[in-house]
Amino acid sequence: MNAAGSFERIVRAAVRRPLLVVAAIGLLALAGGLAALRLEPRAGTDTLVGRGSDTFRATDDLHQRFGDDAVYVLVRGDLTKIMLTTDLQRLVGLEGCISGNIPRGAVAPGGRSGPCAALARSKPVKVVYGPGTFVNESVRQIQVQLAGRQQVSVAQADAAATAARKLGAERGYSKARQEKVAAQARQLVQTQFAISLFQQAARYGLSATDLPRLDNPGFVSQLVFDPARGYNQPKARFAYLFPSKDSALVQVRLRPDLTERERREAISLVRRASEMPQWRLRASRASYAVTGAPVVVSDLTQSITRAIVVLLVAALLIMAATLALVFRVRARLLPLGVALATAGLTFGGMALVGAPLTMASIAVLPILIGLAVDYAIQLQARFEEEGPDGDPARAALRAARAGAPTIATAAGATVAGFLVLELSPVPMVRGFGLLLVAGVVVAFLCALTAGFAALVLSRRSARSLPAPFGAAAGALAPAVRGAGELLGGMARAVRELLLSLGPARRAAERVRAAGRGALSASLRRPGRVVGIAVALAVVGWALDTQTKVVSDLPKLVPQDSRSLRDLQALQAATGVSGEVDVLVQARDITDPEVVGWMADYQRQILQRYGYSDTRPCGKAALCPGFSLSDLLGSAVSNGAGQQRIRAILDAVPPYFSRAVVSPDRRTATLAFGIRLMPLDEQQRIIEDMRSRLDAPPGVTARLAGLPVIAAQANKGVSADWRRMLTLVAGLLAVLAVLLAVWRRLDRALVPLVPIALATGWSALLLFLVRIPLNPMSVSLGALVIAISTEFSVLLSERYRQERAAGHDLEAALRRTYRSTGTAVLASGTTAVAGFAVLVLSDIRMLRDFGLVTVVDLSLSLLGVMVVLPAVIVLAERGELLALPADAARRAWGARRRLRRARATA
């Protein structure tokens, strides 16, 4: 009674000044919608795993020290025609452009408005290393070493000449002979220096004419290619730069502090730079492709955002048409207006508090619209039951007193179902649940205030409104009335047209006959109806673990996506699509024991997953990435001491060393390229790698990187036991709310039984039609429970009211389904129609999400409409409490039989 009084007071305040309430909420919703336009999609690693997890901390440490996960510029073409021609200089220019290294005072290639200048201004790139820079730096370092050794040789030659001259003077040689002896000594030192240079060149496979220059094909060939493997085969130790004879890789690591917008802009600039004519390769069929996991995620986020906008418009049109056809009242489109206001206020609130917009939170929109439409339809149906005559404000108060408490109870149970999503290990899913909870509260309040205010306005004449709104309403009333009459006429025309068609008329007749037959069957044989429903649900629960969860990224994104094509090209050319890093931290990373362990671990893992010099990346699950061992070369295998290791690192240009070892020499990385594969298979490899991290005492080794985070997130949402736990927890949460409100177990079980059974039917149908689950739709079990609770609670409580009014069981059921049942059918059909629009999407993730939702909601609606009457009859007979125990026994037995069958197979 207190709750009913509270709702009545809220409605009384709303209908006292209805135009003011409608205008205020409309303006707030419009402002919220405009604010929501500024929301930026976010796909950071903290949306996939919690910030407190070891995987996130390791990946964050990796990014802070060495930059974000790599964006690859794939260089496609014959390496001999790229590396041994002027194309090499173009490649050096592209890498310098991407890194933002423009000499002071120089004009950037492409001008001040070009991508090179933009990259130099914003400096979004932390590290760039690729084949061009590698060769260029090698030339520079060798030249620096030669210049240093030459200076030492000149000094030694001068010292030898001075010593020889002095010795000749002591022996009494003439001045001419002293100079001759000095010249001979100088020549001897210079000859020795030349011999050492030839010996050094021979050790590197260079001839006397192969000077270390960028434009020297002989030098570059000896540096890059391995004649023992073939004249065009790159050296195996440079696989991170030259994965095959037809490809090279430029790795671009962006700064970790970039926002999502800045990251997208940086990727766009890298793409634009690769398309500049200055860097276009002249070799036949040579080209660039910018790709990598960050590029795919960024493009996927943008494509989903664009698709949601288009699909939202389509969904609104479809839902408007559905309401016009199935909701036979005067202001039939009013629920859609309430839904739009709800969406504007909810997403505007997100912008106000700075909440992130993830891919999961985008999917809130159709769910929220469906729920808001449902609340508005139910309250409007109660309002229309009060009759067209009389004071509309009084009718609104009576409708609120009769219907609002029941709808509030259903909304509370829905909120409880959504809160179960907080059990998910994925922050994105938890945020999804919280946003739905906030949206349900906003939707109920909008329906209670703006909904009733608009209904009162629709019945009042403009002259009856208080000043100063009367004149404005009077001016608008004819237009609004005309629009309503036009829409109503169109809806009637469409309905009559459909019903005039033979198939449509027969289908409508069959639906009505089926409804009457189902209700009659539930009244005559309720036990049989429920028994069949339980049996089907038990089979579905047993088969639920057999439904495939698709986590293969190429199967989830648009197939014509440029980033997907480039990622597939990357794997085809190099055998890898991403990078798994082992972050190693120690007091001193140059300790020979630490370096030796890192080299042994890398060798062991590569051998385990099929990589060798004769079996390159394309045929192995893992292949080597740029790591500390690549900088140290053969020094580790030759047992170099700590002093030698430090000397090697000191000689390596910081440009390269900072990509794999921190300046304080306390952190280093081991990188492994990983093939594009389903996330569950990727997770098995990562877990195996983690189990073999037996680091020496005092050394910490952790796996990090986007592939590690993605695989862990997928494991968290797709585990069979977690899906079942979510279902059970959702049902228990709804039951707890209903018990708290009604304080009777039998009364709470009545609306819950059809919902629980619908989860089993859904699993059965999904198994039969082979609709796969994906990371978005795998948590829909909780959503179905939450949404279906609304339908079931409304019908069961309306039945109780009809019984309290003195009607017998059969009459109460028939009156319930004629009144509230019609409204439930209208709102359910509208929600299903809205989700069905997602099936038209070219993004498979959204398309499958829409299919699964349509299946789940349709079955839930069917369960409520068909099974609920039978459950009510059993509850009247006192036989309802036996159902849960019987269903649990059957489900447990079916699962055991299925497990035995699988073990035997």
Side-chain angles (χ1 to χ4, degrees):
M1 185 62 69
N2 290 335
S6 300
F7 298 138
E8 189 174 350
R9 285 191 293 273
I10 293 173
V11 173
R12 179 178 288 109
V15 300
R16 185 176 295 123
R17 291 181 174 84
L19 186 59
L20 178 63
V21 170
V22 171
I25 292 180
L27 289 175
L28 286 174
L30 180 61
L34 293 175
L37 294 177
R38 299 198 304 269
L39 286 170
E40 286 292 327
R42 180 176 167 185
T45 54
D46 58 343
T47 67
L48 298 176
V49 296
R51 287 180 170 269
S53 70
D54 185 67
T55 300
F56 177 84
R57 289 197 300 268
T59 302
D60 188 56
D61 287 348
L62 174 75
H63 291 169
Q64 294 299 325
R65 295 175 186 275
F66 305 111
D68 265 346
D69 289 90
V71 173
Y72 296 100
V73 180
L74 171 64
V75 186
R76 292 178 286 193
D78 187 338
L79 280 187
T80 59
K81 295 179 180 179
I82 296 174
M83 301 302 297
L84 306 181
T85 66
T86 56
D87 277 347
L88 177 57
Q89 297 179 9
R90 297 182 183 90
L91 197 53
V92 172
L94 173 61
E95 293 173 23
C97 167
I98 293 174
S99 65
N101 292 332
I102 307 298
R104 180 172 296 179
V107 178
R112 295 183 177 180
S113 60
C116 297
L119 287 164
R121 285 192 300 269
S122 57
K123 294 289 185 183
V125 177
K126 186 178 180 70
V127 176
V128 176
Y129 54 95
T133 309
F134 165 71
V135 176
N136 197 40
E137 287 290 335
S138 299
V139 168
R140 190 181 69 83
Q141 286 296 313
I142 293 175
Q143 289 176 344
V144 168
Q145 292 176 12
L146 286 176
R149 292 183 63 183
Q150 189 173 14
Q151 290 177 354
V152 172
S153 174
V154 169
Q156 289 175 343
D158 290 342
T162 301
R165 190 180 295 110
K166 182 178 180 182
L167 181 61
E170 291 175 354
R171 292 183 178 180
Y173 293 165
S174 64
K175 288 288 185 182
R177 190 175 179 184
Q178 289 177 24
E179 291 301 323
K180 182 178 180 180
V181 172
Q184 289 174 344
R186 186 188 304 276
Q187 183 64 38
L188 178 61
V189 172
Q190 291 175 343
T191 301
Q192 290 174 340
F193 173 67
I195 291 173
S196 69
L197 285 182
F198 286 136
Q199 291 174 341
Q200 188 76 5
R203 190 168 69 183
Y204 285 102
L206 302 175
S207 66
T209 60
D210 288 334
L211 298 179
R213 295 196 314 270
L214 195 67
D215 58 351
N216 186 335
F219 166 74
V220 176
S221 179
Q222 292 291 345
L223 178 67
V224 173
F225 297 100
D226 185 359
R229 300 176 62 200
Y231 78 96
N232 62 349
Q233 295 292 333
K235 294 178 180 177
R237 67 176 180 270
F238 298 144
Y240 58 91
L241 292 171
F242 310 104
S244 70
K245 64 183 180 62
D246 297 313
S247 63
L249 284 180
V250 180
Q251 296 198 33
V252 182
R253 291 188 177 272
L254 302 176
R255 291 197 341 250
D257 59 339
L258 299 178
T259 65
E260 288 295 327
R261 180 187 292 273
E262 291 170 338
R263 185 174 291 105
R264 288 199 303 272
E265 291 177 351
I267 291 172
S268 175
L269 288 173
V270 172
R271 273 181 169 155
R272 288 175 54 197
S274 69
E275 295 167 354
M276 290 175 62
Q278 290 92 328
W279 320 130
R280 187 174 298 134
L281 300 173
R282 302 296 190 266
S284 175
R285 290 184 294 183
S287 63
Y288 301 116
V290 178
T291 183
V295 180
V296 175
V297 171
S298 177
D299 286 359
L300 176 61
T301 303
Q302 293 184 75
S303 65
I304 286 180
T305 305
R306 291 192 298 268
I308 283 292
V309 173
V310 175
L311 292 171
L312 174 61
V313 174
L316 291 176
L317 293 175
I318 293 295
M319 294 173 81
T322 306
L323 280 173
L325 290 171
V326 303
F327 193 38
R328 301 187 180 186
V329 296
R330 284 187 295 181
R332 65 190 69 201
L333 295 185
L334 174 62
L336 202 57
V338 172
L340 287 175
T342 299
L345 291 171
T346 303
F347 282 87
M350 283 183 63
L352 186 64
V353 302
L357 181 65
T358 66
M359 286 189 291
S361 58
I362 291 173
V364 166
L365 204 51
I367 299 172
L368 195 57
I369 289 176
L371 285 172
V373 165
D374 182 43
Y375 298 151
I377 283 179
Q378 298 302 327
L379 291 175
Q380 187 172 352
R382 287 281 187 171
F383 180 81
E384 295 294 338
E385 287 179 21
E386 298 298 327
D389 302 325
D391 184 4
R394 292 180 181 275
L397 292 176
R398 289 194 296 269
R401 191 182 307 114
T406 301
I407 297 174
T409 300
T414 300
V415 165
F418 285 146
L419 285 175
V420 171
L421 294 175
E422 298 308 298
L423 299 174
S424 173
V426 181
M428 182 170 63
V429 176
R430 295 200 296 270
F432 177 57
L434 287 177
L435 185 57
L436 283 171
V437 168
V440 167
V441 174
V442 173
F444 178 71
L445 292 177
C446 280
L448 205 61
T449 54
F452 274 126
L455 287 171
V456 170
L457 280 176
S458 70
R459 288 195 182 179
R460 282 183 178 174
S461 64
R463 290 185 299 274
S464 66
L465 291 175
F469 303 114
L476 292 176
V480 174
R481 188 163 49 250
E485 292 173 354
L486 176 63
L487 289 173
M490 291 174 59
R492 286 190 296 272
V494 172
R495 186 187 309 115
E496 291 171 0
L497 175 62
L498 290 176
L499 293 179
S500 66
L501 301 176
R505 186 174 61 254
R506 288 192 294 273
E509 292 173 354
R510 290 195 189 98
V511 169
R512 287 193 292 269
R516 290 192 296 268
L519 184 57
S520 299
S522 297
L523 290 170
R524 292 195 307 270
R525 299 182 180 84
R528 179 176 297 180
V529 171
V530 174
I532 294 173
V534 168
L536 292 174
V538 166
V539 175
W541 291 326
L543 293 173
D544 183 50
T545 58
Q546 309 302 305
T547 301
K548 185 179 180 182
V549 178
V550 173
S551 58
D552 196 352
L553 187 60
K555 295 181 179 179
L556 300 178
V557 301
Q559 297 303 297
D560 60 349
S561 165
R562 174 183 176 182
S563 60
L564 175 59
R565 293 196 304 270
D566 290 342
L567 186 66
Q568 291 169 336
L570 174 68
Q571 170 145 318
T574 68
V576 301
S577 63
E579 185 175 286
V580 175
D581 290 270
V582 179
L583 191 70
V584 181
Q585 294 175 300
R587 177 175 296 180
D588 189 348
I589 211 73
T590 63
D591 186 335
E593 184 181 4
V594 177
V595 174
W597 173 80
M598 292 175 66
D600 289 341
Y601 178 81
Q602 184 184 43
R603 187 167 47 252
Q604 173 193 7
I605 293 298
L606 291 176
Q607 182 179 2
R608 178 173 177 79
Y609 288 98
Y611 175 83
S612 67
D613 290 350
T614 59
R615 195 169 186 265
C617 295
K619 299 180 180 179
L622 295 175
C623 70
F626 187 33
S627 305
L628 179 62
S629 56
D630 295 299
L631 297 182
L632 300 178
S634 60
V636 179
S637 58
N638 293 334
Q642 190 166 20
Q643 186 174 359
R644 172 63 176 160
I645 292 173
R646 289 179 175 175
I648 293 174
L649 290 180
D650 289 337
V652 173
Y655 193 83
F656 278 102
S657 65
R658 68 184 181 184
V660 293
V661 62
S662 61
D664 60 5
R665 305 282 172 82
R666 291 175 178 267
T667 307
T669 65
L670 284 174
F672 298 87
I674 187 168
R675 259 197 346 237
L676 192 64
M677 62 182 71
L679 291 179
D680 52 351
E681 181 180 342
Q682 188 169 290
Q683 177 66 15
R684 287 193 292 270
I685 293 177
I686 289 169
E687 288 178 348
D688 181 64
M689 292 176 66
R690 186 178 284 117
S691 68
R692 298 175 185 277
L693 285 175
D694 187 17
V699 177
T700 302
R702 297 173 292 168
L703 292 184
L706 185 58
V708 181
I709 284 181
Q712 179 176 325
N714 177 74
K715 180 183 178 182
V717 300
S718 63
D720 293 338
W721 67 269
R722 189 175 293 279
R723 285 158 54 193
M724 184 56 63
L725 174 64
T726 301
L727 289 177
V728 174
L731 292 171
L732 291 178
V734 171
L735 178 62
V737 171
L738 297 181
L739 281 175
V741 174
W742 294 333
R743 303 184 183 279
R744 285 184 53 185
L745 180 60
D746 57 344
R747 184 176 171 186
L749 283 178
V750 168
L752 196 64
V753 168
I755 301 167
L757 296 179
T759 63
W761 303 342
S762 171
L764 176 59
L765 187 57
L766 290 177
F767 175 80
L768 293 176
V769 300
R770 301 297 181 181
I771 301 177
L773 300 176
N774 62 49
M776 279 183 66
S777 60
V778 76
S779 60
L780 266 179
L783 302 185
V784 171
I785 291 172
I787 296 173
S788 303
T789 298
E790 174 77 14
F791 305 147
S792 195
V793 168
L794 291 173
L795 285 171
S796 62
E797 284 304 287
R798 182 56 183 262
Y799 166 78
R800 288 190 69 258
Q801 292 174 6
E802 296 292 345
R803 288 286 280 166
H807 301 287
D808 62 21
L809 187 151
E810 181 174 348
L813 277 174
R814 295 192 183 279
R815 290 176 62 87
T816 296
Y817 275 75
R818 276 198 304 269
S819 55
T820 302
T822 301
V824 165
L825 185 61
S827 59
T829 304
T830 305
V832 169
F835 279 104
V837 176
L838 296 177
V839 177
L840 304 176
S841 172
D842 63 340
I843 302 175
R844 181 170 175 179
M845 182 183 293
L846 283 178
R847 186 169 67 247
D848 288 351
F849 175 72
L851 280 172
V852 173
T853 309
V854 166
V855 169
D856 282 351
L857 288 184
S858 299
L859 284 174
S860 300
L861 184 60
L862 179 65
V864 170
M865 302 299 288
V866 175
V867 178
L868 181 61
V871 174
I872 289 175
V873 173
L874 291 178
E876 292 273 4
R877 296 177 181 176
E879 302 173 8
L880 182 62
L881 294 179
L883 284 179
D886 180 59
R889 285 195 300 272
R890 294 192 187 191
W892 180 253
R895 281 184 174 271
R896 284 198 309 176
R897 289 191 294 273
L898 181 61
R899 197 177 297 118
R900 285 198 300 269
R902 289 172 61 185
T904 304

